[in-house]
Amino acid sequence: MRYINANKILPKELILKLQNFVHGEYIYIPAIEDQHKHWGERSGSREEIDNRNLEIIEAYTSGSSIQDLAEVYCLSVYAIRKIIYSKSD
């Protein structure tokens, strides 16, 4: 998350009003509930991880061992199990 100077985006009247409550401090303004982005949605990381996890599950169901998958994907055996069993729910 990056910070934006309020003077660049908010009207002066609103800044003056906010300064009645807080000044010289950082303030977090949450996203509107239906506009909230989950982790990795902006960068595409979430989609990459989801695709990787599907590859792992497909490889496992095709006969690859958990140990082999851990080595191929540089993950722990525990992480591979977690991926495989979380998708079978």
Side-chain angles (χ1 to χ4, degrees):
M1 176 183 355
R2 60 185 174 85
Y3 294 100
I4 301 171
N5 186 325
N7 290 320
K8 292 183 179 181
I9 61 169
L10 298 176
K12 185 159 183 66
E13 302 79 34
L14 181 54
I15 293 171
L16 292 171
K17 188 78 163 169
L18 288 169
Q19 286 172 332
N20 289 324
F21 301 95
V22 65
H23 48 72
E25 302 286 336
Y26 293 113
I27 168 175
Y28 172 74
I29 301 172
I32 298 171
E33 189 65 32
D34 63 345
Q35 293 179 354
H36 177 74
K37 299 246 186 253
H38 294 283
W39 177 89
E41 283 184 316
R42 272 192 206 166
S43 67
S45 296
R46 177 79 268 153
E47 186 176 357
E48 287 179 28
I49 291 172
D50 287 344
N51 289 337
R52 180 209 60 192
N53 290 352
L54 286 174
E55 286 178 11
I56 290 170
I57 292 165
E58 288 171 4
Y60 178 74
T61 57
S62 296
S64 294
S65 73
I66 291 176
Q67 183 64 45
D68 288 342
L69 291 169
E71 290 176 22
V72 169
Y73 288 94
C74 300
L75 296 170
S76 69
V77 168
Y78 174 78
I80 296 294
R81 280 191 187 123
K82 191 172 166 184
I83 291 166
I84 291 167
Y85 300 133
S86 71
K87 296 297 182 182
S88 64
D89 293 341

